[in-house]
Amino acid sequence: METLEYIETKNTDFESINGNYGKYGGMYVPPVLESILKELYEKFKIIIQTSSFQEEYIRLLKTYVGRPSPLYYSKRLSEHIGSKIYLKREDLNHTGSHKINNAIGQILLAKHIGAEEIIAETGAGQHGVATATVAALFGIKCKVFMGKVDSERQKMNVDRMKMLGAEVILTKNGTATLKDAVDAALEYYIQNPNSYYLLGSQVGPHPYPTIVGYFQSVIGKEAKKQILEAEGKLPDNLIACIGGGSNAIGLFSEFLYDENIQIYAAEGGGEGLIIGKTAATLNMGKPTIFQGTFSYALVDENNEPVEAYSIAAGLDYPGVSPQHSLLKDEQRVKYHAVTDKEAIEAFKLLSVIEGIIPAIESAHAVALAIKLLKDKKNEISIINLSGRGDKDLDREFF
Ligand SMILES: *Cc1c(COP(=O)(O)O)cnc(C)c1O
């Protein structure tokens, strides 16, 4: 059996969790969906243990996605900050972000289950593109639900999804953004249980946070091996941006039990810590039942979900992962809000000093590193560069 050394193919750590992260997580869905999702979890546990699944997953990660992604010593950024910085280059993956790691894993799951159709939600369109891509790869029909407002902001990704053969279904409900797209996809799923819902972040009802966390954990497994090769020791700090939480947990999970490592995540602070002007869910939200799970969410005084705002469409979501909700309460991970303005500065800086145009989402992590690590000369840090910035170049911030 072909293996990549960095993947523990028989990792069953998640089993003890069983969908609950402390008081967070769970499955708050209508009964029809509950039985489908329970079955999905049982199948997931069995399928990922098989060598046929692991072989195909690993082969595609290597030869289709281009993994392992490099761990790049970012010399000029290190000099600028005064601390040693490595970038985990998820921006170099096929389709331009970490989303494809999860999409590949889940399409294989869908194939093994015998799903006739793939459905997905998308905000910025990155997950929609990743899903349309893997659906094309396997010749499975694909529908992507998207808010109409988002589709107007992200036209290039709508065109990419259509080119890849997916049907893009626009929803005008609510604020016509990501939250409404998730609602539309869940609704369709309830009515079409033979489809497979390929969820894009570490959110939603059990078992999705477990599944997505598992498929993204390849990031941290590679990074651990790479930093040991480069430095002969583990890093002092890890930093990632967080929308739903998938790229962050992907990097962090392999390091959570190394207590000497400080772990930080950058939320989309938007225009500041004001409800309605921010996407900083873990800083400004409350524990609530939201879109199938119990987690922090941005709510108003009546505990109704409110719209999130961030310049980064990938961070612009009023909910967040139940696992990150627990990691916040335990203070294992420190969550900071990074404003639009700080992210734009970091976006421009990384472009001109490293020749790497980051996704505006990832620029939030770079901005946080600049703030936290200034002149920490003897420390080594890894920033997760979750995606590339081509999609952001026609934005008004230039
Ligand atoms: C979607 C996206 C994010 C945010 O999603 P997470 O699930 O929190 O990782 C971050 N960066 C990029 C490039 C994205 O496309």
Side-chain angles (χ1 to χ4, degrees):
M1 165 175 171
E2 186 181 24
T3 56
L4 288 184
E5 281 167 61
Y6 55 81
I7 294 185
E8 294 161 30
T9 51
K10 302 273 189 259
N11 181 352
T12 51
D13 255 355
F14 55 85
E15 271 187 285
S16 59
I17 298 166
N18 215 15
N20 295 305
Y21 302 91
K23 65 179 177 182
Y24 299 106
M27 210 187 250
Y28 297 86
V29 294
V32 292
L33 219 51
E34 199 177 318
S35 52
I36 297 171
L37 293 176
K38 279 187 177 153
E39 207 182 313
L40 174 62
Y41 184 51
E42 293 310 315
K43 287 179 177 162
F44 164 74
K45 284 192 290 187
I46 295 166
I47 288 167
I48 62 161
Q49 305 287 331
T50 63
S51 17
S52 63
F53 178 90
Q54 288 293 338
E55 271 166 24
E56 202 170 6
Y57 177 52
I58 290 164
R59 180 180 64 81
L60 289 171
L61 287 183
K62 275 182 166 179
T63 60
Y64 190 73
V65 176
R67 303 204 72 91
S69 68
L71 185 71
Y72 166 66
Y73 169 50
S74 186
K75 184 160 180 290
R76 294 190 67 204
L77 181 65
S78 297
E79 284 162 7
H80 178 87
I81 297 179
S83 191
K84 198 163 193 181
I85 310 288
Y86 285 83
L87 301 177
K88 181 62 174 158
R89 299 289 309 275
E90 294 299 299
D91 59 311
L92 295 176
N93 292 340
H94 180 45
T95 73
S97 81
H98 68 290
K99 297 273 183 359
I100 193 81
N101 305 328
N102 169 55
I104 289 275
Q106 285 200 51
I107 195 87
L108 287 173
L109 200 55
K111 196 189 82 171
H112 283 263
I113 287 170
E116 292 155 13
E117 178 182 55
I118 300 297
I119 60 168
E121 81 298 335
T122 198
Q126 290 300 101
H127 174 57
V129 168
T131 304
T133 297
V134 297
L137 179 64
F138 283 90
I140 305 180
K141 211 163 64 165
C142 176
K143 285 192 170 74
V144 181
F145 293 85
M146 188 173 194
K148 188 159 186 303
V149 169
D150 281 344
S151 75
E152 285 155 9
R153 290 194 286 202
Q154 306 287 334
K155 194 173 169 315
M156 184 186 81
N157 277 340
V158 176
D159 292 342
R160 288 168 84 193
M161 287 184 264
K162 289 183 178 162
M163 178 58 71
L164 292 160
E167 184 185 347
V168 181
I169 299 174
L170 301 182
T171 173
K172 293 183 190 150
N173 293 341
T175 53
T177 56
L178 178 57
K179 173 183 156 304
D180 310 295
V182 174
D183 284 335
L186 281 172
E187 181 76 8
Y188 183 89
Y189 190 30
I190 292 167
Q191 272 149 33
N192 299 273
N194 288 333
S195 57
Y196 179 89
Y197 185 8
L198 205 162
L199 214 151
S201 188
Q202 207 202 12
V203 298
H206 176 61
Y208 285 107
T210 300
I211 292 177
V212 175
Y214 175 74
F215 288 133
Q216 291 294 1
S217 68
V218 62
I219 300 173
K221 287 172 183 158
E222 288 177 4
K224 189 177 226 174
K225 181 166 177 271
Q226 290 166 322
I227 196 76
L228 287 172
E229 271 167 15
E231 292 285 342
K233 59 179 177 181
L234 292 174
D236 299 292
N237 308 289
L238 302 175
I239 303 182
C241 68
I242 173 164
S246 70
N247 88 87
I249 206 66
L251 176 65
F252 300 165
S253 54
E254 191 67 13
F255 299 93
L256 284 174
Y257 301 103
D258 293 305
E259 279 166 19
N260 296 326
I261 301 177
Q262 304 301 312
I263 308 184
Y264 303 96
E267 294 198 285
E271 291 172 0
L273 291 178
I274 304 158
I275 291 288
K277 293 188 187 295
T278 187
T281 308
L282 289 163
N283 277 286
M284 294 296 287
K286 283 193 230 165
T288 313
I289 294 171
F290 179 70
Q291 293 196 319
T293 189
F294 185 65
S295 66
Y296 279 83
L298 293 170
V299 292
D300 62 17
E301 57 279 8
N302 301 317
N303 279 333
E304 292 297 323
V306 294
E307 204 183 343
Y309 167 75
S310 162
I311 192 170
L315 306 183
D316 197 352
Y317 181 65
V320 73
S321 142
Q323 187 172 5
H324 284 288
S325 298
L326 178 63
L327 290 169
K328 177 204 155 73
D329 288 2
E330 289 177 337
Q331 298 187 30
R332 176 65 189 98
V333 178
K334 306 278 180 353
Y335 297 86
H336 292 258
V338 169
T339 63
D340 288 356
K341 195 162 158 287
E342 292 165 328
I344 293 167
E345 273 171 31
F347 181 95
K348 291 180 176 168
L349 179 80
L350 196 71
S351 300
V352 297
I353 70 170
E354 287 288 359
I356 297 171
I357 302 173
I360 188 67
E361 291 80 7
S362 322
H364 285 68
V366 176
L368 184 58
I370 293 169
K371 274 208 279 200
L372 294 177
L373 302 175
K374 195 117 209 83
D375 298 326
K376 295 201 164 164
K377 272 202 287 301
N378 300 321
E379 297 190 6
I380 298 168
S381 306
I382 300 175
I383 303 176
N384 204 21
L385 209 69
S386 56
R388 59 179 173 245
D390 314 30
K391 68 183 179 56
D392 299 310
L393 291 177
D394 59 353
R395 302 285 294 279
E396 58 278 13
F397 51 78
F398 295 100

